[in-house]
Amino acid sequence: MKFELPDNHGLSQLVIDKLVFHEDGKPALTDAQFGALQTGVGRGDSMLVVSPTSTGKTQIAIWSIARSIQAGCTTVYLVTHRALAKQKFEEFKSVLLADFLGGNGSAFVLATGDYVEDAEGNIPAEPLRVPLLVATYEKYLAMLSASGIPADMTSTVIVCDEIQLIGDANRGQNVEVLLTLLRNAGWRQFVGLSAVLHTRDAEDLANWLQVRLVVEHAREKHLCYECWTPKGIAAVTSERADVIEEGLPIPAGVGLAPLPILLDLLNQRNPPLPIIVFCTRRKQDTYDLAEQLLAIRGQPATGQLSLAFDGLPETSANTLLAKALVQRIAIHNADLTDEERHVVEQHLLERKVDVVFATPTLAAGVNFPFGAAIFASWSRWDSDRRAYVAIESAEFHNMAGRVGRMGFEHEQGRVIFVAASDNEMRTGRGYLELGVLPSLEPRVAPSRFEQLVLQLVASGLCKTRDELNTLVCTTFSGLREEDRNTKAFAAWPGQLAAAVDSLAAKVLLMETGAGSLVATTIGRAIAHSGLLPDTGIYLINYSVGHLDSLIKLLPTADQPGDLGRLHYLICCVCFSSPEFRYFRRSTPTRFLPWPLEKVTLFDAEPLLDDLPEPVWQADLYPINAAKLSIDWIEGAELAVLERSLPQLSAGMLRDMYRNLVWVLQGFASVLTAAADKRTPLASKPVVLAGGDAIFDKLAKLPRIIRRLSFRVTQGLPEDVLWMADINSPGADFRLIRSEVLSLRVSGYIRPEQVMLGTQEANKARLVAFTKVKPAPQAKANWLRDACRDWKIDQRKRSAERHLKRARRCVNVKLVDEFYTKRGTDFEEVFESILGILGISFRRLDDKTKTGAPDYLLALKESPALVVELKSRDGDKLIDYNRAVEVLAASEVHGHKNAFCVTLCHPGVDPSVPLVIAACGRLSVVESSDLGEALLRMCEGSLSQGQLYAWLASPGQALAADLPFREYT
């Protein structure tokens, strides 16, 4: 430790006072922190910091972030996992929001594959321009790609946590592509952090990034690594990493099994609590060992269960955890849902757990002060080799590094692993050589060149073949490949050329006679979605090939259609796509739970004509995955779904649903681009050569697919999906899935039913909230009032939020009036806003034409839009009959081919959006959603063409579907 700041450290007094740890009135810095300040992190210098876990790297990042905010820069903190992003978001909120962001929650955004949301719970208009963004690597890449890479990012500070992810077999290419884009665009400051980089890798990576390198090998809290073998214990400490002691005695009567070793630690006079037992097999180790320890400890006399899971849906995992937590025992693995993991992590933070049995999910950068680690197993199944293979030393040490963190009262942490055979002893000895780490493997490879080329061209970073060659061949992987395998590297330009030719043949790219490359509309949609190019084409081909069958399944006002069949087919084609299944020798990027192949859950024969794979019996994964997805959105409980197949877990299912949502959203974006009539036929794949007839039908599907993605996210049936919108930021209560389903069972599915003050309605609400503590009545009252004021409150929040942002607008008063006026007054406000935004319009209803629609809008480079304004007082919503009046009116008054929009003020009845998609010529938009779009136009972050594309798609136009700003 150093108890002083280095000279010329660069930290402001506010940072020193608020963000530097002090001991006895003096700054207290780890060696890594002191070295980073000496190297210039506080002065804005870029660097790669490599030091063991528990050496204060996160604090180094926080200093850089705080300096960036004070300098008025945008700051991005990149992490490896969703859970870690959420943890860092909460941590930074507590230390930075008040003192450095002025308490402005809209200035701080979290972006993961699940959602993009600011600290006030709102969807940000320009997340890439906020002062502080915490994001996963892949989400930030997707956001940058969708917006176009700015030519100049020298006002942006980038912090990359766990930067060794660049060498990950599955995710490394995306991380390297992102770092390549950032390096070429420039940055104000770059700070990379890692605990497990080999020295040569660290030097090479720092040189490639053109940043300074800070390496600190010493830990503030030392670890003792112990390899227990039949010949005794071999041990080494991080304090004397070059000295391995051999033949140390194993405690009498303990042996080499993980549970007796654990009991020996627990029985010590001063046990190193909490203890983590790492397991590489979920079932055989985490559950079995936990149950064995529970049996040894015995149940409490009262038979008490933990109340921590009250309010969460029952699963097999939390049923066991409810028994274990009262005994200070926990489990943490991929079988758990996010909510269950949060409960376990909270118990760890509050020191309520003595032992946690965990897979490496708990080693992904999440900080808990463990006293000891026992590796119950340190090899995992390798499907390619068909054998168990020892984990690499980098992963081993990253897991071991969770032990002995700052704040742990013991002087030295212990890491124990067992090597029972000669072969294991040889491998295990490698873990004792603390300075030996595996080399980073290059992950940009020819097998993924098509996706890479499309990303680079669609983002605007590369515009010719030469630029592609230059950029790709100078990636970190390119330079490594040139060193290692000159012959293979020499083939890269030819393989890149083949990728360009293939994308051009699919009409995802076009090449001018002068050699300029440009992504087509569909090519950009695929690149921005993060889908593989083959996936995009696969989804388009399926949709066109089965278009008539799919359209017939849509509901209308006259007939219910068959949404169940439609949703099953849509899910099935997603799960059959190259994202999930092997396709033309390409490796999938997402994986389905392995138990899905065991039993046929669904007889798909009646759907044979419309299945993406007619020989469905040969691959049960998509068939079963789609069945479990449909059961989920129809309200099946997770515990019931788990029992569908042996060894299927809630965590597996939630992960599968999350991946499905990602693909569904990409599917909708790709079909929207495919159906856009403004795009010339020559720049669309051949399958779309049918022209307007195909486009009109395709246009009916995107919002149906987006709505399905929302249902999968929420796990709710169609008739109660609206209840997910009841939850608002800062509310006293939140409505959870099980409560919504309970109300549905009682027959309360519409807003006017749920808001009733009758005795029967109150009883239904109380039944739904039976588990609410201390009493359900308060929440029942909240729901009654929330339903009554639902749209009023939504409009009020939108007005307040938009007024804050409207300072740059010409007439701020119009923003307030847009939300408060009704009838003729509202029309006048609407016209004024259109005039200020430069949107050409013609009033069709001049009070002399009976039943004429209100307006004809002429957005730039887009067909005309017929717009009808429908406003009602109070909480009354626009019903189906009022929403569709514009269709007949447009035909009577000579605009039968124009797309129609009904602006619903304040809102539309939840039953309307689904049944209007089939007509193909109508969308509805609520005033709060349109207000967001119009404000973005005022801010310059939404074009008239983008506004047209958003409005002119059948269904409901939602603010969540608005594109982020495109940079030029």
Side-chain angles (χ1 to χ4, degrees):
M1 295 288 291
K2 301 284 193 303
F3 295 97
E4 62 179 352
L5 293 169
D7 294 337
N8 197 23
H9 53 75
L11 299 181
S12 71
Q13 192 59 49
L14 181 62
V15 170
I16 294 172
D17 292 342
K18 298 289 185 179
L19 301 177
V20 174
F21 181 70
H22 288 73
E23 189 173 308
D24 297 327
K26 295 181 179 180
L29 307 178
T30 67
D31 290 344
Q33 292 170 346
F34 192 89
L37 285 174
Q38 276 188 320
T39 307
V41 73
R43 300 189 299 272
D45 292 340
S46 295
M47 63 191 63
L48 172 61
V49 181
V50 179
S51 67
T53 53
S54 191
T55 51
K57 292 190 294 297
T58 297
Q59 206 62 28
I60 295 171
I62 289 175
W63 295 337
S64 175
I65 293 168
R67 184 185 185 279
S68 173
I69 294 170
Q70 289 179 317
C73 299
T74 56
T75 315
V76 182
Y77 185 91
L78 298 174
V79 298
T80 53
H81 296 79
R82 291 176 301 103
L84 184 56
K86 292 174 184 176
Q87 186 195 53
K88 295 299 183 185
F89 184 73
E90 294 301 323
E91 179 182 347
F92 295 166
K93 189 188 297 184
S94 66
V95 299
L96 295 171
L97 186 57
D99 294 319
F100 293 88
L101 292 168
N104 180 12
S106 65
F108 184 22
V109 170
L110 172 65
T112 70
D114 292 342
Y115 53 80
V116 180
E117 189 174 273
D118 66 28
E120 294 176 351
N122 298 315
I123 300 169
E126 295 187 78
L128 296 175
R129 291 194 168 192
V130 297
L132 179 55
L133 170 67
V134 174
T136 55
Y137 282 93
E138 286 90 346
K139 185 62 178 181
Y140 187 58
L141 175 61
M143 293 165 68
L144 272 182
S145 298
S147 301
I149 308 299
D152 182 1
M153 293 185 67
T154 52
S155 63
T156 301
V157 170
I158 306 292
V159 181
C160 293
D161 201 357
E162 307 276 0
I163 199 172
Q164 73 275 1
L165 187 66
I166 194 173
D168 184 83
N170 296 314
R171 304 170 64 194
Q173 172 166 303
N174 282 333
V175 175
E176 187 168 345
V177 168
L178 174 59
L179 293 179
T180 302
L181 299 179
L182 296 173
R183 188 190 70 155
N184 284 28
W187 47 59
R188 177 71 167 264
Q189 182 183 26
F190 179 94
V191 178
L193 306 172
S194 178
V196 288
L197 277 178
H198 187 281
T199 301
R200 187 201 161 186
D201 286 333
E203 292 170 351
D204 288 350
L205 189 55
N207 289 334
W208 178 69
L209 291 167
Q210 299 173 346
V211 302
R212 301 177 70 181
L213 178 62
V214 177
V215 177
E216 178 55 62
H217 296 299
R219 292 177 57 95
E220 302 302 322
K221 292 279 188 176
H222 285 290
L223 293 183
C224 179
Y225 292 83
E226 305 172 21
C227 180
W228 292 34
T229 76
K231 300 178 181 179
I233 299 173
V236 63
T237 70
S238 57
E239 189 174 17
R240 300 177 62 197
D242 56 339
V243 178
I244 299 177
E245 296 185 80
E246 306 277 4
L248 301 175
I250 293 173
V254 175
L256 300 180
L259 196 58
I261 295 173
L262 172 62
L263 292 172
D264 180 65
L265 293 182
L266 290 172
N267 290 331
Q268 292 177 2
R269 180 177 298 177
N270 185 21
L273 303 177
I275 300 168
I276 184 168
V277 181
F278 280 121
C279 313
T280 53
R281 299 170 298 181
R282 291 193 299 270
K283 169 60 182 169
Q284 296 94 320
D285 292 339
T286 54
Y287 295 121
D288 290 350
L289 287 173
E291 288 175 336
Q292 289 172 34
L293 183 58
L294 273 173
I296 291 171
R297 285 197 165 185
Q299 290 298 314
T302 60
Q304 180 184 357
L305 297 177
S306 171
L307 302 178
F309 301 99
D310 279 8
L312 296 183
E314 180 185 348
T315 66
S316 57
N318 68 39
T319 300
L320 174 59
L321 277 167
K323 295 187 296 183
L325 283 180
V326 295
Q327 294 283 63
R328 300 181 64 85
I329 299 169
I331 294 166
H332 193 288
N333 61 34
D335 285 351
L336 273 61
T337 64
D338 287 352
E339 296 83 2
E340 291 166 348
R341 290 186 207 180
H342 177 74
V343 169
V344 171
E345 291 164 9
Q346 198 60 38
H347 274 64
L348 282 166
L349 288 171
E350 295 171 4
R351 305 295 180 95
K352 295 178 180 178
V353 170
D354 292 340
V355 181
V356 57
F357 297 92
T359 52
T361 56
L362 200 56
V366 184
N367 300 330
F368 302 102
F370 292 110
I374 299 170
F375 281 77
S377 54
W378 41 274
S379 62
R380 66 164 60 94
W381 181 254
D382 186 312
S383 57
D384 293 331
R385 302 187 199 180
R386 305 295 298 172
Y388 282 96
V389 176
I391 60 177
E392 289 190 342
S393 56
E395 183 178 3
F396 177 88
H397 288 297
N398 198 36
M399 295 164 68
R402 303 303 111 189
V403 175
R405 303 185 71 87
M406 300 296 289
F408 169 64
E409 62 267 23
H410 292 259
E411 286 300 317
Q412 181 171 267
R414 294 180 68 182
V415 177
I416 299 172
F417 60 104
V418 172
S421 66
D422 290 342
N423 185 49
E424 286 182 346
M425 283 189 277
R426 283 191 294 271
T427 304
R429 188 171 183 91
Y431 296 149
L432 298 180
E433 296 173 359
L434 303 186
V436 178
L437 293 170
S439 179
L440 282 179
E441 290 299 319
R443 298 305 180 186
V444 171
S447 61
R448 295 275 297 278
F449 272 0
E450 274 199 31
Q451 184 182 33
L452 177 58
V453 167
L454 190 59
Q455 283 177 322
L456 295 174
V457 175
S459 68
L461 196 65
C462 293
K463 297 178 181 178
T464 66
R465 291 176 185 255
D466 286 344
E467 289 180 0
L468 281 169
N469 285 335
T470 300
L471 190 145
V472 175
C473 292
T474 57
T475 58
F476 184 72
S477 291
L479 298 177
R480 276 286 171 94
E481 187 74 356
E482 187 176 19
D483 286 343
R484 295 182 179 184
N485 192 337
T486 305
K487 184 177 180 180
F489 179 72
W492 276 29
Q495 291 164 323
L496 282 168
V500 172
D501 292 340
S502 176
L503 291 168
K506 296 168 183 172
V507 203
L508 302 182
L509 287 185
M510 301 185 79
E511 188 171 17
T512 68
S516 294
L517 297 173
V518 61
T520 63
T521 302
I522 295 174
R524 285 198 303 274
I526 293 173
H528 298 169
S529 71
L531 299 178
L532 297 169
D534 280 337
T535 295
I537 295 298
Y538 181 88
L539 296 174
I540 291 173
N541 287 342
Y542 172 83
S543 300
V544 175
H546 298 83
L547 195 49
D548 289 334
S549 298
L550 297 175
I551 297 302
K552 288 178 182 176
L553 300 175
L554 291 174
T556 67
D558 302 322
Q559 57 92 19
D562 192 343
L563 271 182
R565 183 184 181 108
L566 177 62
H567 287 159
Y568 181 89
L569 292 171
I570 291 172
C571 291
C572 196
V573 71
C574 289
F575 288 130
S576 301
S577 74
E579 298 296 311
F580 292 99
R581 313 306 296 144
Y582 286 92
F583 185 79
R584 295 177 184 169
R585 294 176 297 176
S586 68
T587 304
T589 58
R590 306 168 202 278
F591 300 92
L592 293 172
W594 61 268
L596 292 181
E597 69 172 344
K598 300 300 181 184
V599 179
T600 303
L601 294 178
F602 181 73
D603 181 7
E605 200 64 26
L607 303 178
L608 187 62
D609 291 342
D610 292 317
L611 288 175
E613 174 50 65
V615 190
W616 59 270
Q617 298 90 342
D619 185 6
L620 295 178
Y621 279 91
I623 299 298
N624 286 340
K627 171 65 167 62
L628 291 170
S629 300
I630 299 304
D631 289 348
W632 166 248
I633 66 174
E634 290 302 327
E637 295 292 348
L638 278 172
V640 174
L641 294 173
E642 283 183 307
R643 294 193 288 271
S644 302
L645 292 164
Q647 296 183 292
L648 187 64
S649 71
M652 291 179 186
L653 288 166
R654 293 301 292 266
D655 190 54
M656 181 180 80
Y657 298 147
R658 189 174 294 113
N659 279 316
L660 174 59
V661 167
W662 184 288
V663 178
L664 285 169
Q665 291 173 346
F667 194 175
S669 297
V670 170
L671 288 191
T672 298
D676 193 338
K677 295 180 182 179
R678 297 173 298 177
T679 305
L681 276 176
S683 60
K684 291 186 175 183
V686 176
V687 72
L688 297 170
D692 286 2
I694 288 180
F695 302 155
D696 287 339
K697 293 177 182 178
L698 276 181
K700 299 177 181 182
L701 295 176
R703 286 217 159 106
I704 292 291
I705 296 172
R706 287 193 189 279
R707 194 169 180 89
L708 174 58
S709 76
F710 188 47
R711 283 188 62 186
V712 176
T713 298
Q714 302 296 332
L716 292 175
E718 180 62 43
D719 53 9
V720 289
L721 186 60
W722 64 271
M723 291 192 198
D725 283 341
I726 293 294
N727 295 324
S728 60
D732 294 334
F733 298 98
R734 290 186 64 82
L735 201 57
I736 62 176
R737 180 177 185 258
S738 59
E739 294 166 349
V740 173
L741 296 176
S742 174
L743 289 166
R744 185 174 187 260
V745 169
S746 299
Y748 288 80
I749 61 174
R750 295 183 58 78
E752 57 268 27
Q753 294 175 307
V754 183
M755 72 174 71
L756 288 174
T758 64
Q759 188 174 358
E760 293 78 8
N762 191 52
K763 180 179 178 182
R765 291 189 291 264
L766 290 174
V767 169
F769 302 143
T770 300
K771 293 184 177 181
V772 174
K773 301 293 187 291
Q777 187 64 60
K779 189 167 184 178
N781 294 342
W782 162 81
L783 179 61
R784 179 197 62 209
D785 297 340
C787 283
R788 184 180 60 240
D789 301 330
W790 170 33
K791 288 300 177 183
I792 295 174
D793 289 344
Q794 188 180 73
R795 188 169 71 254
K796 181 180 177 182
R797 291 195 307 272
S798 295
E800 291 172 349
R801 188 169 70 251
H802 291 162
L803 278 168
K804 286 182 182 178
R805 286 168 44 196
R807 300 186 186 114
R808 287 177 285 173
C809 295
V810 174
N811 189 342
V812 177
K813 181 181 177 183
L814 289 175
V815 177
D816 179 61
E817 292 178 343
F818 179 79
Y819 288 103
T820 58
K821 298 296 184 181
R822 293 289 185 276
T824 303
D825 292 338
F826 180 60
E827 292 175 358
E828 292 177 0
V829 173
F830 183 68
E831 290 179 15
S832 297
I833 292 173
L834 295 181
I836 289 174
L837 295 177
I839 297 175
S840 299
F841 68 93
R842 177 159 59 95
R843 189 175 183 96
L844 298 177
D845 183 6
D846 59 3
K847 309 306 179 186
T848 65
K849 300 175 184 177
T850 303
D854 290 327
Y855 300 99
L856 190 70
L857 268 57
L859 295 163
K860 293 177 181 178
E861 300 178 357
S862 304
L865 280 176
V866 174
V867 178
E868 178 75 7
L869 275 53
K870 296 290 187 184
S871 61
R872 301 194 70 177
D873 293 327
D875 58 1
K876 295 178 181 177
L877 302 176
I878 305 302
D879 60 19
Y880 173 80
N881 291 330
R882 290 170 62 84
V884 302
E885 284 176 1
V886 65
L887 290 173
S890 67
E891 292 181 9
V892 169
H893 291 274
H895 301 285
K896 66 177 182 180
N897 294 322
F899 195 90
C900 299
V901 179
T902 299
L903 170 55
C904 303
H905 190 50
V908 64
D909 188 278
S911 64
V912 172
L914 196 66
V915 295
I916 64 172
C919 79
R921 202 167 65 88
L922 174 65
S923 72
V924 293
V925 60
E926 296 187 341
S927 51
S928 57
D929 292 307
L930 183 62
E932 174 67 27
L934 295 175
L935 185 57
R936 292 194 192 185
M937 292 190 71
C938 180
E939 295 169 332
S941 62
L942 188 73
S943 68
Q944 290 194 24
Q946 290 174 315
L947 179 65
Y948 175 86
W950 179 65
L951 288 173
S953 183
Q956 183 175 1
L958 298 169
D961 298 334
L962 283 167
F964 294 127
R965 179 190 182 98
E966 284 194 16
Y967 296 93
T968 58

